[in-house]
Amino acid sequence: MSNDTPPYQDFSARFIIDTLPVHGRVVRLGESLNTILSAHNYPDEIAHLVSEACALAVLVGSALKFEGRLIMQAQGEGCVRYVVADYDTRGGLRAFCRYDEDELKELIAANATEFTSLGARALIGKGTFIMTLDPDGQMDRYQGVTPIEGDSLSLCAEHYFAQSEQIPTQIKLAVSREDSGDGPVWRAGGAMIQAIAGDLSRGETREAFDHIRALFATLGEDELTDFSLETERLLYRLFHEDGVRLSTFKEVYQQCRCSQERVESLVQSFSPEEQNDMIEPDGKVHITCEYCSKTYFISL
């Protein structure tokens, strides 16, 4: 397989099983993730959820066959109202989470004796999982919505692919946190395998996918977030008997789409009465971006 190694820590990469109709993706996020999280003072439980959302958005978004954006959102009735990760196919990533702090503290206290951490289902509750594809150019926007199923975002995504795309899919997400002198350092990793649809030449592909899925199940979460373990070696451990080929790495970086011009245009979309209600004591409108926490000041 390829010996290429990325010159950056944050990336997505596609891989192909040479002898079987299965392909997949690997994602690792470090600096981009920490930049996203540093804009918010999230509790660990929320930071973990946002990290999973980021890894999942890049996994799915980097597989798109067009230029544009993939927006992954999960929303429900739990203490987390919604979590959003927005990935641009050129590599830009942003994310944020809205939650009720008091309800989160109650949930943490109620589960203090549990040995497992709070997952997406516990935090979000009953709700919906949404994938929005927003292509550049003339193509229409597409949105798929499924109920939240399972305890994790990876299970939500697998259910989405089974219901909306009819593509056999297996996903693993992993998040780690380390303490440093300057605060927590987060890492996220993800891997996805998908069956390639059968045809006259391939025949039925289910058996091949089940074989690769059994190997994929041995992948440890610690391996996904151990950035000293090269991606080539990680995949070789899993699939060397079937042959695995890794494609070119693609960089991922934090990038927010907000700007002074966009915010001014947003404010101008409101009626004069609504604009007047938005004015702060200094005579300006203050708008803070939910993604990057930057505050813009608009003079009317």
Side-chain angles (χ1 to χ4, degrees):
M1 60 187 297
S2 169
N3 291 320
D4 292 339
T5 22
Y8 31 76
Q9 185 184 57
D10 299 51
F11 63 84
S12 66
R14 182 173 185 258
F15 63 88
I16 299 171
I17 307 299
D18 287 327
T19 60
L20 296 172
V22 179
H23 63 163
R25 296 222 163 234
V26 176
V27 165
R28 280 175 165 170
L29 304 176
E31 182 179 350
S32 63
L33 177 63
N34 282 280
T35 303
I36 289 169
L37 295 177
S38 66
H40 308 272
N41 188 27
Y42 289 138
D44 284 355
E45 292 79 7
I46 301 301
H48 191 285
L49 181 66
V50 172
S51 299
E52 283 193 335
C54 287
L56 179 57
V58 178
L59 269 180
V60 179
S62 61
L64 297 179
K65 294 179 173 60
F66 56 80
E67 292 295 317
R69 296 161 55 215
L70 179 132
I71 305 160
M72 189 236 80
Q73 179 174 336
Q75 60 189 42
E77 301 172 354
C79 62
V80 170
R81 303 306 191 240
Y82 55 85
V83 58
V84 182
D86 183 335
Y87 174 75
D88 187 301
T89 55
R90 286 161 283 268
L93 176 66
R94 61 179 186 165
F96 80 95
C97 182
R98 178 170 291 178
Y99 65 99
D100 186 285
E101 187 173 350
D102 291 334
E103 291 182 20
L104 175 63
K105 289 179 179 178
E106 292 176 3
L107 182 64
I108 293 173
N111 290 269
T113 59
E114 299 295 326
F115 293 102
T116 57
S117 59
L118 293 172
R121 183 60 181 267
L123 293 167
I124 301 169
K126 183 179 180 181
T128 54
F129 179 83
I130 305 166
M131 289 276 197
T132 303
L133 310 183
D134 189 8
D136 293 343
Q138 302 302 313
M139 294 176 63
D140 292 334
R141 193 183 227 212
Y142 169 79
Q143 188 172 83
V145 182
T146 57
I148 289 179
E149 297 286 348
D151 295 328
S152 66
L153 288 181
S154 58
L155 290 174
C156 290
E158 289 175 8
H159 179 72
Y160 167 86
F161 279 108
Q163 295 296 312
S164 298
E165 307 293 335
Q166 286 81 52
I167 300 175
T169 302
Q170 200 85 32
I171 295 172
K172 279 198 174 184
L173 302 173
V175 178
S176 69
R177 178 191 184 278
E178 296 179 3
D179 290 313
S180 72
D182 297 324
V185 175
W186 293 87
R187 288 177 176 171
M192 175 175 69
I193 55 171
Q194 290 185 312
I196 298 174
D199 54 26
L200 291 177
S201 62
R202 294 192 188 97
E204 174 58 48
T205 61
R206 170 60 70 176
E207 185 175 341
F209 184 71
D210 287 344
H211 166 68
I212 295 299
R213 185 171 61 178
L215 298 175
F216 188 72
T218 67
L219 174 61
E221 292 186 4
D222 58 330
E223 293 178 295
L224 283 171
T225 56
D226 179 5
F227 288 9
S228 66
L229 176 60
E230 295 182 352
T231 310
E232 293 94 339
R233 180 186 290 183
L234 174 64
L235 294 176
Y236 182 80
R237 284 183 182 180
L238 293 171
F239 308 123
H240 64 276
E241 292 184 355
D242 298 289
V244 59
R245 182 157 40 94
L246 187 63
S247 72
T248 304
F249 292 88
K250 185 171 185 177
E251 185 178 9
V252 178
Y253 48 88
Q254 183 275 339
Q255 183 182 58
C256 194
R257 302 176 68 244
C258 68
S259 68
Q260 185 74 26
E261 293 74 21
R262 285 177 179 268
V263 174
E264 288 179 356
S265 178
L266 172 65
V267 172
Q268 292 301 324
S269 69
F270 291 95
S271 68
E273 293 78 12
E274 291 171 322
Q275 292 179 25
N276 287 333
D277 290 339
M278 299 164 65
I279 296 175
E280 299 290 339
D282 63 359
K284 297 180 179 180
V285 175
H286 300 182
I287 301 291
T288 300
C289 176
E290 290 188 290
Y291 285 97
C292 68
S293 295
K294 181 178 180 179
T295 299
Y296 294 88
F297 302 93
I298 313 299
S299 298
L300 297 177

